[in-house]
């Protein structure tokens, strides 16, 4: 099977039907990712099947825990090379997206991808979550925050939950280790005015290790104390 056939079949396996435009966008994004990765460190995963599974399909699995058709705005924190944000944007073109990353060279790559794929209602923003979460145009403005960033759940929640509106959600994409982090999150969730609603453990492929989606609801406004200044959430998690 070629790239499009493989992607289409694997997307169907998780309940997503991709049209020809979307399949072409994914292929164009894959080719850009591989080409740019030769000159800048975007991903260690470059083999076609692995990119499809571990970047594209993995990014789309949040449909397991949330109805994306009910979501109007999404922010992707620590998006890196655009995961999960760009795959989600391709599949859900009517949703407003913000992709946030602290490295300007990655933001330039994201802007190139957005232009190449002719994506609308999406912006790539250069900055730190600790800073942007205090700006009125970002704080408490999003139906959904997503992140595949590698950080402790408590640290990541402090970065992400301030962006979410009350009754909105934060979905953290985790490896199996994320299950251990849940047990240490009670104080953090209370401090941030949030609650873990669902933990979904699954395998992407038969040979893959387990993936975990942690769905967190923002139940009330987050204290102005959070997020704390850069470095503190990771050195001293809630």
């Amino acid at each position: 099977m070629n790239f499009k056939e493989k992607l289409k079949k694997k997307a169907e396996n998780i309940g997503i039907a991709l049209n020809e435009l979307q399949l072409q966008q994914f292929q164009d994004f894959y080719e850009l990712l591989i080409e740019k990765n030769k000159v800048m460190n975007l991903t260690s995963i470059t083999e076609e099947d692995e990119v499809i599974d571990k970047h594209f399909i993995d990014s789309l699995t949040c449909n397991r825990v949330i109805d994306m058709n009910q979501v109007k705005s999404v922010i992707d924190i620590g998006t890196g090379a655009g995961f999960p944000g760009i795959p989600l944007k391709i599949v859900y073109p009517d949703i407003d997206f913000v992709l946030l990353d602290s490295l300007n060279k990655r933001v330039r790559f994201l802007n190139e991808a957005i232009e190449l794929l002719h994506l609308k209602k999406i912006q790539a923003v250069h900055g730190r979550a600790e800073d942007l979460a205090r700006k009125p145009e970002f704080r408490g403005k999003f139906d959904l925050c997503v992140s595949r960033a590698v950080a402790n759940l408590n640290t990541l929640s402090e970065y992400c939950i301030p962006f979410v509106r009350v009754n909105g959600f934060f979905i953290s994409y985790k490896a199996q280790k994320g299950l251990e982090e849940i047990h240490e999150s009670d104080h953090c969730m209370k401090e941030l005015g949030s609650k873990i609603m669902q933990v979904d453990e699954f395998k992407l492929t038969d040979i893959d290790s387990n993936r975990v989606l942690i769905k967190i609801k923002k139940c009330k406004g987050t204290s102005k104390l959070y997020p704390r200044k850069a470095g503190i959430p990771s050195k001293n998690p809630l």
Side-chain angles (χ1 to χ4, degrees):
M1 287 190 288
N2 63 28
F3 177 93
K4 289 182 182 178
E5 289 168 338
K6 285 187 282 192
L7 177 60
K8 183 170 185 172
K9 183 177 181 181
K10 289 179 177 183
E12 285 172 352
N13 289 341
I14 63 167
I16 292 174
L18 298 175
N19 61 36
E20 183 56 37
L21 170 61
Q22 291 166 329
L23 290 167
Q24 187 62 52
Q25 287 174 313
F26 273 111
Q27 181 163 358
D28 290 345
F29 185 39
Y30 169 72
E31 291 170 359
L32 178 68
L33 177 71
I34 298 306
E35 184 61 33
K36 292 295 180 181
N37 200 57
K38 295 174 183 176
V39 293
M40 60 186 291
N41 182 27
L42 291 168
T43 177
S44 60
I45 297 169
T46 55
E47 195 273 321
E48 183 176 287
D49 284 351
E50 284 205 321
V51 171
I52 290 174
D53 286 331
K54 296 182 179 179
H55 280 330
F56 294 168
I57 297 300
D58 183 59
S59 291
L60 300 176
T61 55
C62 70
N63 74 335
R64 295 172 61 93
V65 297
I66 193 165
D67 181 0
M68 292 295 292
N69 294 311
Q70 301 299 313
V71 174
K72 294 180 180 176
S73 57
V74 177
I75 185 165
D76 178 5
I77 302 295
T79 187
F83 304 113
I86 286 185
L88 287 171
K89 179 62 188 177
I90 291 171
V91 174
Y92 305 102
D94 294 331
I95 297 176
D96 283 301
F97 274 81
V98 172
L99 310 178
L100 175 61
D101 201 84
S102 60
L103 271 188
N104 203 31
K105 65 178 182 178
R106 286 200 290 251
V107 172
R108 287 198 297 270
F109 165 75
L110 295 170
N111 280 324
E112 191 170 341
I114 288 166
E115 185 174 356
L116 175 70
L117 305 179
H118 303 292
L119 300 176
K120 308 297 182 188
K121 297 169 68 174
I122 182 171
Q123 59 173 319
V125 177
H126 174 231
R128 300 182 70 98
E130 305 96 310
D131 300 327
L132 265 72
R134 294 194 171 278
K135 293 191 174 183
E137 63 266 38
F138 291 106
R139 191 175 184 92
K141 297 298 185 185
F142 297 89
D143 294 338
L144 176 64
C145 176
V146 292
S147 184
R148 292 206 318 170
V150 180
N152 176 279
L153 179 63
N154 289 357
T155 301
L156 204 54
S157 295
E158 184 174 346
Y159 290 145
C160 292
I161 288 171
F163 288 97
V164 180
R165 64 168 178 80
V166 174
N167 294 321
F169 296 94
F170 164 44
I171 294 175
S172 177
Y173 291 65
K174 287 280 186 182
Q176 192 167 14
K177 190 184 175 191
L179 293 173
E180 301 168 20
E181 298 171 6
I182 292 168
H183 299 305
E184 302 165 356
S185 68
D186 285 352
H187 173 69
C188 171
M189 294 301 138
K190 185 179 286 188
E191 279 291 301
L192 297 173
S194 56
K195 180 181 180 182
I196 293 177
M197 302 297 289
Q198 187 176 352
V199 178
D200 183 33
E201 187 179 3
F202 63 98
K203 285 183 180 289
L204 265 177
T205 67
D206 292 338
I207 59 171
D208 218 28
S209 59
N210 285 19
R211 300 288 292 147
V212 177
L213 294 171
I214 304 170
K215 179 183 180 182
I216 299 169
K217 182 177 182 178
K218 182 168 178 175
C219 303
K220 62 181 183 180
T222 301
S223 166
K224 292 180 181 178
L225 294 172
Y226 306 113
R228 291 167 292 172
K229 290 183 180 179
I232 298 175
S234 55
K235 290 176 184 174
N236 185 24
L238 286 172

